[in-house]
Amino acid sequence: MTIKDYEMIIGERMKAARFRHSKNVAKEAVRLAKKYGADAEKAELAGILHDATKETPEDEQMELIRRAGIVLSPLESSSHKLWHAISGSAFVKVELGIDDKEILDAIRYHTTGRAGMTLLDKVLFIADFTSAERDYEGVEKMRKLADKNLDEACLEGMAFTISDLSVRYQTIAPDTFEGYNEFAYLKLTKKK
Ligand code: DGI
Ligand code: FE
Ligand code: FE
């Protein structure tokens, strides 16, 4: 299977705007991978596939998760927005037969981040924030940070997510907190 084959599969699973987002994330992930020394081919694949199940009905997502042998925590079960990252990595594994743990994990943690993120995790996490079509307030700051320091960009991204969710009293995944604390600790203790 080539990247074009995967693009075709993904294009049929979502509306045009999200497909455009997926291609932009792949492109940005390749750029960041080259800049920071990650595997550019894996970054491109993870980028194109990362939202594979974002428009998939919830019952089908649950079936994919079950088939991949993943058991959700009560908090994950109640956070429907997180399902697509988990079911997306399950889809890529069970339906596309991709066994690369780095790619599967990058997709699995692309929404929350986590502690101990791999370089590929970080590249995809940030590419999703800085892809060409993103236009939220603060995107320019994020793009600058992404080019300067990938860890600080991850810290900024997780702080953004935590603020955004907490003002609406939404639940926050432990992975997000754990990732945030790790990057914040790193910044605080960094030798100048
Ligand atoms: O799939 P995208 O729209 O490209 O972006 P994404 O995968 O980062 O998803 C963003 C959505 O996920 C947004 O509505 C906020 C939600 N989200 C992110 N982190 C958490 C979360 N929701 C909960 N409940 N908990 C989280 O930690
Ligand atoms: Fe997503
Ligand atoms: Fe996305």
Side-chain angles (χ1 to χ4, degrees), residues 18 21 25 50-51 54 75 78-82 84-85 110-112 125 128-129 134 161 164-165 168 170-174 176:
R18 192 172 310 282
H21 164 70
V25 170
H50 82 285
D51 278 336
K54 184 101 180 187
L75 198 68
S78 68
S79 310
H80 296 211
K81 289 267 176 70
L82 299 185
H84 80 284
H110 87 264
T111 304
T112 55
F125 184 73
D128 200 15
F129 272 100
R134 292 289 196 202
T161 300
D164 179 55
L165 292 168
R168 294 183 285 118
Q170 299 295 299
T171 58
I172 296 169
T176 306

Side-chain angles (χ1 to χ4, degrees), residues 38-39 42 46 99-108 114 118-121 124:
D39 185 318
K42 289 188 188 189
D99 258 327
D100 188 301
K101 190 175 184 320
E102 274 191 281
I103 293 175
L104 297 176
D105 279 347
I107 295 172
R108 166 70 182 80
R114 59 168 166 166
T118 66
L119 184 55
L120 195 70
D121 287 356
L124 181 60

Side-chain angles (χ1 to χ4, degrees), residues 82-107:
L82 299 185
W83 292 5
H84 80 284
I86 305 167
S87 64
S89 94
F91 170 81
V92 164
K93 186 181 164 119
V94 294
E95 296 282 346
L96 303 184
I98 293 177
D99 258 327
D100 188 301
K101 190 175 184 320
E102 274 191 281
I103 293 175
L104 297 176
D105 279 347
I107 295 172

Side-chain angles (χ1 to χ4, degrees), residues 162-180:
I162 290 169
S163 318
D164 179 55
L165 292 168
S166 61
V167 292
R168 294 183 285 118
Y169 306 119
Q170 299 295 299
T171 58
I172 296 169
D175 284 323
T176 306
F177 277 127
E178 287 166 16
Y180 170 85

